[in-house]
Amino acid sequence: MTGEAREVDVLIVGAGPAGLAAGAELAAATAGRVEILEREQEAGGIPRHCHHGGFGGRLDRSAYAWASAAGSAYARRGTTGPDFARRGVAAAVAAGAALRTGVTVTGWAGPRTVETTGPAGLERITARAVILATGARERPRSARLIPGARPPGVYTTGELQQAVHLYGQRIGTTAVVVGDEPVGHAAVATLRAAGVHVVAMVTDRTAPALRLRSPRVPLLTGATVTGLTGRARLSGVALRHEDGRTTTLRCDTVVLTGDFVPDHELARRGEILLDPGTRGPAYDAAHRTSRPGVFAVGNLLHAVERAGYAAQEGRAVAVPVLHRLAGTEGPAGGGRRLVVDAPLRWIAPNMTGPDGARPPGDRFVLRTWRRLPRPLLVVSQDGRELHRQRLLSTAVPGRPFTLRADWVDHVDPDGTDVRITAL
Amino acid sequence: MTVTLTTAGPLPPLDDAEGTYDVAVVGAGVVGAAVARELARHRLRTALIDASDDIGNATSKANTAILHTGFDAAPGSLEARLVREGRDLLAAYAAETGIPVERVGALLVAWDEDQLAALPGLRDKAERNGYHASRIIGADELRAREPHLGPGALGALDVPDESIICPWTTPLAFATQAVRAGVHLHLNCRVRDVTADADGHTLTTSRGPLRARYLVNAAGLHADEIDRLLGHDVFTVTPRRGQLVVFDKLARPLVGHILLPVPGPAGKGVLVAPTVFGNVLLGPTAEELDDKTATGSTADGIRLLREKGRRIVPGLLDEEVTAVYAGLRAATGQEDYRIQEYPGLRYVAVGGIRSTGLTASMAIGRHVIALLTAVGLDPGEPHDLPPLTMPNLGEAFPRPYRDAALIAGDPAYGTLVCHCEQVTLGEIRDALASTIPPHSPDGLRRRTRARGGRCQGFYCGAAVRALFEEERP
Ligand SMILES: Cc1cc2nc3c(=O)[nH]c(=O)nc-3n(C[C@H](O)[C@H](O)[C@H](O)COP(=O)(O)OP(=O)(O)OC[C@H]3O[C@@H](n4cnc5c(N)ncnc54)[C@H](O)[C@@H]3O)c2cc1C
Ligand SMILES: Cc1cc2nc3c(=O)[nH]c(=O)nc-3n(C[C@H](O)[C@H](O)[C@H](O)COP(=O)(O)OP(=O)(O)OC[C@H]3O[C@@H](n4cnc5c(N)ncnc54)[C@H](O)[C@@H]3O)c2cc1C
């Protein structure tokens, strides 16, 4: 491969809410040439095809509660996805960031040098700071190891929304939605907009994750998908219920929702350390990854939060990036990893900074695999307890809860990993 | 070059007096396509017909994609000979046409003392099969060459020439070259009945009758049924399902070679192998079934594979799974191919092409021409076919998205549509306009890899379908 070699001050990979917000903030702070690369033909990220409300608006701590499915009217708060995307693009461009769409970052050619492909050719771009904002995707059927036949008619929410809202494609007549998180309700709304009858929503959880309801759609809890049937077209979804009963729901469409995984390919190709819980880059409160000068923001770090939260992280990364550009960044190294014990699933950020930097809102965000009524969270290092805190509510899978960060100063920078346990 | 490719409606009449093909080949899998390509080298009117809407759409699309040396074949069998010959033919053909092949080598890993003790026997068998490059290596060398192998491996038989190949480009190359050289390809054309008379055969198909002087039966899993229509009862095909799990490309650094188990009484066993697309394959299972359509995967199958995989390369299980699929081998109860010519009938049956048919395909093609000649066909002198270059789907060879000159000439090669597999608009456009275009999004995937990656369409599914539908409303 040959290609043009260029240099910029800040290079941002991904023009979703996080990347666009970072670009807007840094360009406005006159950080030099700030360039955002987006592989899709249009910038905006996931919100481009979320034709429902619930984007932006006031940010509450339960960041994930983006959709209150009352009727088909999604959360009256905030705006629609495409609108949110347009605003993000306009803000970045108005601030002076260079936004280039249809350009894919395909790999690394140096610690802060990326290789790109676009219709205008190949490039090698070296930046003083790189921000990864590559987002997240839903796990497809294969990654969830759902057995059975492989007929057409199997979707993730992302593909469904694009098919309906961006391409106006025919979907089918009857559908089953797997998953009852907000994104599942968004899928129900999209299916209805496409004239598809939704037979049921199913979840293997015994209690619904959230008190959300899509009216007229039965919610089957404690039901595991055991297989898909059909040849030329999907004909049904086989389920096993908690009591061992098995049934098959007849349908020609199934949408597999939720179960997000960060799009961490570029991070891994750059040998950036990942957090085993989030599967995104390990990062500290200043959004620094294990590679100096490479920062990460948005759903890449913790699939998946609200768009507004991703944008907030994008704005927050500006300060540490400016420090980097000015040469006033805190010393590298010394960060301790934060590790969680099961049934806790992950914590973010998952490194402490050497300079005691605190996460946004002075809180860490956590997820759990299991329901935990009023858990006691204990933070320790080398057997030494740093903090304990009783949660007043129930922690449920698929929804974030938080841990205060005021113990960070007590972390021994020469000690081992910091453990978080739920009792 | 006039290409005759039909997919619907009554079969077009032939413009010769009798309306008769010289040869009809039933089944456009890798074997039938190889036979048709071989026939295309002669001045013959040949028809290649398949029940499916695409070539290579049955067993040939769902295998482990290994170009075997034949080191472990049953010495002296027809299969052993055709695999050995086929391997050399296909390796040379791949180099000529751009079918991706990587000579990664295989290691037959011994996990216990019994298996270790079996290695010399396997090496001797390889020698009897005319393969002389294999050698036994110890635990240390094994670990140095495969650092991610699970604990407890005692040694291995090193077979340096085992290779991996693209299973989709191979039959497509054969069929493309055949139709460009004048072979008629009729898809969606199921053979329902065959009647023989003194001059040849009349095939009753789902698209009307077709006459041919000579008949080749390469119907894969259904070869026994076609054979019975001709009055034989010599073999029965029982499908032997093989389920496979494909791991993400990020797993590729974990596996350097094709990691084979030492074969035991239960058959060849489960392997871990790289693919030319840069993924890692785990499988296949071996399940005797009676349903020739049972190409689904099962929870038990996946569980078994994950158990075996965890032993072989533990780190593999932490990687994302990109695909789960199953193929059906054509088992006939005999440890060899069932290739048989019938002089009175002007007919050759190509049955029981079990688990090595991709490797042996070109040698089977040559063998079938010899058998057709033996039953009376005069093929005349062979001529060379015009050269062919296939689009490269292999990760070890230059792909369009990295080719500055190509993009400079046409920006469509710099426009990525499928991000996970880095497939460009130019490649999709080319596939849709190719000699044998795809008739489904899956067919497009086998020609370009579009929508075949880790996100399985979360990002590009709708866009790829739009491009496909634009081309064929
Ligand atoms: C179906 C669905 C419904 C949702 N509904 C809501 C809602 O109602 N309200 C709400 O607040 N949130 C909602 N969300 C969540 C919200 O969309 C995300 O939080 C937000 O989009 C995350 O922003 P991001 O910038 O981190 O990632 P993304 O929006 O995913 O953007 C990442 C961008 O990076 C690009 N990219 C990736 N790799 C490369 C590369 N190598 N080179 C160039 N570009 C690259 C991608 O193409 C993409 O455009 C929803 C999410 C989904 C999936
Ligand atoms: C799990 C698995 C792993 C394997 N691994 C390898 C490997 O690593 N290396 C290797 O060399 N080989 C391998 N093989 C074997 C190889 O895939 C097969 O030998 C080969 O694909 C057989 O090709 P075929 O053309 O005979 O059959 P098929 O590909 O099945 O083609 C037969 C065709 O006949 C058509 N047909 C059937 N009935 C009719 C009818 N009545 N009318 C019209 N058309 C009809 C079908 O539609 C089909 O297209 C493997 C096989 C399996 C299942």
Side-chain angles (χ1 to χ4, degrees):
Chain A
M1 117 155 209
T2 54
E4 298 286 306
R6 280 200 301 121
E7 282 178 24
V8 299
D9 295 291
V10 181
L11 186 79
I12 301 170
V13 187
L20 288 168
E25 199 77 7
L26 281 159
T30 55
R33 178 159 173 105
V34 177
E35 187 164 312
I36 313 175
L37 301 181
E38 169 55 52
R39 63 189 182 182
E40 296 284 334
Q41 300 306 315
E42 219 187 291
I46 297 281
R48 280 178 311 127
H49 48 76
C50 296
H51 278 230
H52 54 78
F55 284 86
R58 191 178 59 84
L59 260 191
D60 55 349
R61 287 241 175 73
S62 59
Y64 192 68
W66 69 54
S68 69
S72 62
Y74 272 74
R76 263 142 277 150
R77 232 168 349 113
T79 176
T80 67
D83 206 33
F84 188 81
R86 271 190 298 273
R87 286 185 204 171
V89 171
V93 172
L99 173 59
R100 296 170 63 216
T101 57
V103 179
T104 305
V105 175
T106 57
W108 301 86
R112 285 181 312 284
T113 305
V114 301
E115 295 177 335
T116 72
T117 292
L122 309 180
E123 279 191 324
R124 254 162 214 247
I125 307 174
T126 301
R128 295 167 63 210
V130 175
I131 303 174
L132 300 178
T134 54
R137 62 176 193 275
E138 287 163 301
R139 282 206 171 81
R141 175 261 176 98
S142 45
R144 301 176 191 222
L145 301 178
I146 297 174
R150 302 211 301 158
V154 184
Y155 292 87
T156 47
T157 322
E159 181 176 4
L160 173 78
Q161 289 185 333
Q162 291 204 40
V164 173
H165 298 307
L166 301 187
Y167 291 91
Q169 289 167 357
R170 251 200 88 250
I171 300 301
T173 58
T174 44
V176 167
V177 171
V178 179
D180 72 330
E181 291 180 23
V183 66
H185 294 276
V188 169
T190 299
L191 287 164
R192 284 187 169 154
V196 182
H197 170 65
V198 184
V199 186
M201 201 171 204
V202 303
T203 170
D204 55 6
R205 289 177 188 144
T206 45
L210 297 171
R211 263 172 286 112
L212 289 180
R213 282 275 170 206
S214 284
R216 299 187 308 283
V217 178
L219 173 66
L220 307 180
T221 54
T224 311
V225 178
T226 55
L228 303 182
T229 58
R231 288 193 69 77
R233 177 77 196 192
L234 183 77
S235 64
V237 174
L239 300 178
R240 191 182 50 242
H241 299 271
E242 267 175 306
D243 56 8
R245 247 177 341 117
T246 57
T247 47
T248 297
L249 299 177
R250 306 222 63 85
C251 59
D252 61 11
T253 304
V254 61
V255 188
L256 303 166
T257 74
D259 196 355
F260 289 97
V261 57
D263 250 310
H264 60 211
E265 175 174 24
L266 196 59
R268 268 188 82 177
R269 295 252 181 243
E271 288 169 9
I272 286 169
L273 190 72
L274 294 196
D275 179 74
T278 59
R279 310 290 285 155
Y283 75 109
D284 67 20
H287 292 279
R288 287 178 294 202
T289 68
S290 62
R291 180 180 287 191
V294 177
F295 299 78
V297 287
N299 276 346
L300 168 64
L301 295 172
H302 42 59
V304 69
E305 304 289 346
R306 290 183 64 194
Y309 190 83
Q312 194 180 58
E313 288 182 310
R315 283 190 292 276
V317 80
V319 174
V321 169
L322 289 169
H323 275 299
R324 166 113 200 145
L325 297 179
T328 53
E329 191 183 28
R336 295 296 94 197
R337 297 184 67 164
L338 309 185
V339 296
V340 295
D341 286 322
L344 294 178
R345 185 177 178 184
W346 54 252
I347 183 166
N350 29 50
M351 307 257 282
T352 61
D355 38 15
R358 302 280 183 82
D362 220 10
R363 279 173 159 76
F364 291 93
V365 179
L366 290 106
R367 290 289 167 97
T368 175
W369 286 112
R370 266 203 290 113
R371 259 180 96 80
L372 302 171
R374 294 171 35 87
L376 177 67
L377 300 175
V378 177
V379 182
S380 60
Q381 186 188 29
D382 296 320
R384 182 168 62 95
E385 191 173 304
L386 303 180
H387 176 73
R388 61 166 54 207
Q389 176 185 344
R390 168 82 61 190
L391 284 199
L392 297 177
S393 55
T394 298
V396 294
R399 193 178 193 185
F401 52 99
T402 59
L403 172 71
R404 282 207 310 275
D406 44 17
W407 45 270
V408 165
D409 300 338
H410 308 309
V411 172
D412 174 2
D414 300 317
T416 57
D417 293 346
V418 176
R419 299 204 84 80
I420 294 95
T421 311
L423 300 175
Chain B
M1 173 185 85
T2 49
V3 165
T4 304
L5 163 56
T6 72
T7 57
L11 291 171
L14 275 187
D15 52 13
D16 75 331
E18 301 98 59
T20 301
Y21 285 104
D22 292 314
V23 187
V25 180
V26 179
V30 73
V31 170
V35 172
R37 179 188 165 276
E38 201 57 45
L39 289 166
R41 299 172 65 222
H42 300 270
R43 228 167 274 292
L44 295 167
R45 303 168 147 279
T46 301
L48 175 62
I49 59 183
D50 201 286
S52 169
D53 68 0
D54 201 355
I55 63 107
N57 208 8
T59 300
S60 297
K61 75 177 176 190
N63 50 46
T64 27
I66 292 169
L67 184 57
H68 296 290
T69 56
F71 78 95
D72 61 347
S77 63
L78 178 64
E79 184 177 11
R81 172 165 75 86
L82 295 180
V83 167
R84 192 166 59 239
E85 290 174 12
R87 188 213 166 258
D88 293 341
L89 289 170
L90 185 48
Y93 183 69
E96 218 174 277
T97 54
I99 296 169
V101 172
E102 284 180 62
R103 184 177 162 279
V104 291
L107 296 170
L108 262 95
V109 181
W111 295 96
D112 60 35
E113 293 294 340
D114 286 350
Q115 292 178 358
L116 194 63
L119 295 183
L122 285 161
R123 187 193 47 206
D124 296 346
K125 189 179 184 187
E127 299 279 341
R128 277 182 286 147
N129 279 318
Y131 184 74
H132 304 293
S134 69
R135 62 186 189 96
I136 294 169
I137 62 170
D140 292 344
E141 185 178 346
L142 175 58
R143 181 126 329 257
R145 287 172 63 182
E146 283 292 348
H148 299 283
L149 213 56
L154 301 176
L157 183 70
D158 175 20
V159 188
D161 298 295
E162 289 281 297
S163 304
I164 52 178
I165 185 168
C166 177
W168 301 325
T169 315
T170 305
L172 186 62
F174 295 160
T176 300
Q177 225 174 4
V179 299
R180 285 191 187 169
V183 170
H184 293 188
L185 175 60
H186 302 300
L187 298 172
N188 295 314
C189 185
R190 179 178 298 280
V191 175
R192 298 207 165 114
D193 201 4
V194 183
T195 49
D197 56 46
D199 297 327
H201 304 272
T202 303
L203 311 187
T204 308
T205 81
S206 52
R207 295 176 53 203
L210 183 145
R211 287 277 303 163
R213 290 167 53 228
Y214 290 84
L215 179 64
V216 177
N217 166 11
L221 294 169
H222 300 277
D224 57 341
E225 294 153 36
I226 302 282
D227 208 43
R228 288 206 177 90
L229 294 176
L230 282 118
H232 305 296
D233 191 6
V234 282
F235 66 92
T236 298
V237 177
T238 22
R240 197 144 188 264
R241 181 165 60 193
Q243 301 185 41
L244 293 127
V245 174
V246 184
F247 288 89
D248 190 87
K249 292 180 201 319
L250 290 164
R252 180 65 182 80
L254 293 174
V255 180
H257 303 76
I258 303 162
L259 300 174
L260 301 170
V262 173
K268 283 193 184 171
V270 171
L271 58 80
V272 171
T275 75
V276 293
F277 314 120
N279 301 79
V280 175
L281 208 60
L282 167 65
T285 59
E287 309 155 58
E288 308 289 342
L289 306 173
D290 46 24
D291 180 357
K292 291 177 177 175
T293 65
T295 53
S297 55
T298 63
D300 283 345
I302 296 170
R303 195 174 317 118
L304 175 106
L305 291 179
R306 289 175 62 83
E307 251 163 50
K308 303 248 179 196
R310 194 183 306 278
R311 170 101 197 254
I312 305 167
V313 182
L316 201 53
L317 278 296
D318 294 332
E319 299 294 340
E320 294 284 321
V321 168
T322 300
V324 176
Y325 67 91
L328 301 173
R329 309 167 185 88
T332 63
Q334 177 181 302
E335 298 294 285
D336 204 351
Y337 293 163
R338 302 271 193 155
I339 304 182
Q340 184 65 53
E341 77 283 21
Y342 294 92
L345 267 178
R346 305 167 178 230
Y347 165 64
V348 177
V350 188
I353 310 303
R354 316 180 304 148
S355 55
T356 48
L358 171 58
T359 307
S361 52
M362 292 185 84
I364 296 173
R366 288 205 176 172
H367 186 57
V368 168
I369 305 298
L371 296 180
L372 281 170
T373 311
V375 299
L377 176 75
D378 175 11
E381 279 304 299
H383 54 84
D384 286 340
L385 295 171
L388 173 74
T389 304
M390 296 302 288
N392 166 43
L393 302 188
E395 217 37 53
F397 305 90
R399 303 254 331 272
Y401 82 96
R402 301 274 279 172
D403 188 334
L406 193 64
I407 299 170
D410 183 348
Y413 294 108
T415 304
L416 286 172
V417 177
C418 166
H419 303 301
C420 303
E421 296 294 305
Q422 288 138 330
V423 183
T424 65
L425 184 61
E427 292 165 278
I428 292 176
R429 186 198 56 198
D430 293 351
L432 291 169
S434 63
T435 306
I436 304 177
H439 294 274
S440 66
D442 271 352
L444 180 61
R445 174 173 56 84
R446 292 195 294 275
R447 285 163 178 79
T448 61
R449 288 170 42 179
R451 203 191 193 289
R454 60 176 69 83
C455 92
Q456 294 280 304
F458 178 91
Y459 284 111
C460 72
V464 170
R465 198 166 330 107
L467 290 169
F468 176 78
E469 277 162 10
E470 218 170 275
E471 204 58 32
R472 29 198 69 250

